[in-house]
Amino acid sequence: MASIEELRGFVKDGLARGLSRAEIEDVLLRAGWTAEHVGGALTAFAEIEFPIPVPRPRPYLTARETFMYLVLFSTLYVSAYSLGTLVFQFIEQAFPDPAASAIAAELVRREVMRWSVSSLIVAFPVFLYASSLISRAIRSDPSKRGSKVRRWLTYLTLFVAGGVLVGDFTSLVYSLLGGETTVRFVLKVLTIAVIAGTIFGYYLWDLRLEEKEAST
């Protein structure tokens, strides 16, 4: 099977011979290449008038970049989980379980709330700081948006957030069908939906923005 480098070489030769991008794209698609691979190979060369194809800067993976993205996404997960847990405790406090011991529940609630607040105080500022550093690096070098580790972790986050949303609404439907829905349960479902939905929506928008910029 031909490699991506061979594909880029073919595109380079085609552009050097004066073929249009539409012609090159059409023949590659008919040859069996995917639209994603063809688009990536074409965007590897700038649309600049010059006797030979001009390559765009290609993003490369560094240990520092990997570290920054791991910090960014791990603190995002911790912040989202801690925020959800904290909101859950407020819901439990407002709508206590009649079957649970009030004293024991209050002791557990205080411990969980203290841990959740502590996690948020530490993780969320780190997330914001890492996000600002990465955004600054991308503004100074837009090619960094094509980072492989960034794309992998973004798709992983979309997968996790999407899975949480599916499970969340499945639980809600299951509870509705069984006639076991309570105000406390619905509020918890909505909390998860808002947190996971916000994360899913933001990173989906970010990926679409990246694809739009790559196609221009």
Side-chain angles (χ1 to χ4, degrees):
M1 181 177 177
S3 68
I4 298 300
E5 290 303 322
E6 289 177 299
L7 175 61
R8 288 198 178 112
F10 178 85
V11 170
K12 181 180 179 180
D13 291 341
L15 293 173
R17 293 173 183 267
L19 297 174
S20 69
R21 290 173 178 263
E23 290 175 316
I24 295 172
E25 181 180 16
D26 179 64
V27 73
L28 287 172
L29 290 176
R30 286 194 285 118
W33 288 94
T34 65
E36 182 181 2
H37 285 152
V38 174
L42 286 169
T43 55
F45 298 95
E47 296 188 47
I48 299 174
E49 292 294 333
F50 201 70
I52 60 175
V54 180
R56 296 180 187 271
R58 292 175 60 183
Y60 58 91
L61 186 62
T62 65
R64 181 179 183 277
E65 180 186 13
T66 303
F67 169 76
M68 290 302 299
Y69 278 112
L70 287 174
V71 169
L72 177 73
F73 283 96
S74 61
T75 51
L76 170 65
Y77 299 151
V78 172
S79 298
Y81 179 80
S82 299
L83 177 60
T85 303
L86 185 61
V87 175
F88 275 20
Q89 299 313 306
F90 286 125
I91 294 172
E92 291 282 355
Q93 192 172 33
F95 302 95
D97 184 357
S101 169
I103 298 177
E106 183 63 24
L107 290 175
V108 171
R109 187 179 303 116
R110 287 181 180 179
E111 287 297 316
V112 174
M113 291 179 72
R114 185 168 64 178
W115 181 257
S116 299
V117 171
S118 300
S119 298
L120 275 174
I121 290 174
V122 174
F124 191 61
V126 174
F127 168 75
L128 292 178
Y129 181 65
S131 181
S132 66
L133 289 179
I134 291 172
S135 297
R136 191 184 310 164
I138 290 176
R139 283 195 300 269
S140 62
D141 182 6
S143 67
K144 290 184 180 293
R145 287 189 67 88
S147 165
K148 290 183 179 180
V149 67
R150 176 177 176 275
R151 290 183 66 86
W152 272 101
L153 290 174
T154 299
Y155 276 112
L156 175 62
T157 301
L158 285 173
F159 173 77
V160 172
V164 169
L165 285 172
V166 171
D168 188 41
F169 287 113
T170 301
S171 298
L172 177 61
V173 172
Y174 179 82
S175 179
L176 288 171
L177 292 176
E180 302 171 355
T181 305
T182 62
V183 174
R184 182 175 58 181
F185 175 77
V186 172
L187 289 175
K188 288 182 177 181
V189 168
L190 290 176
T191 298
I192 296 173
V194 169
I195 295 174
T198 300
I199 294 173
F200 185 88
Y202 172 77
Y203 283 103
L204 182 62
W205 168 83
D206 189 54
L207 280 175
R208 288 179 175 175
L209 178 63
E210 177 184 336
E211 293 170 357
K212 182 179 179 181
E213 290 178 352
S215 63
T216 57

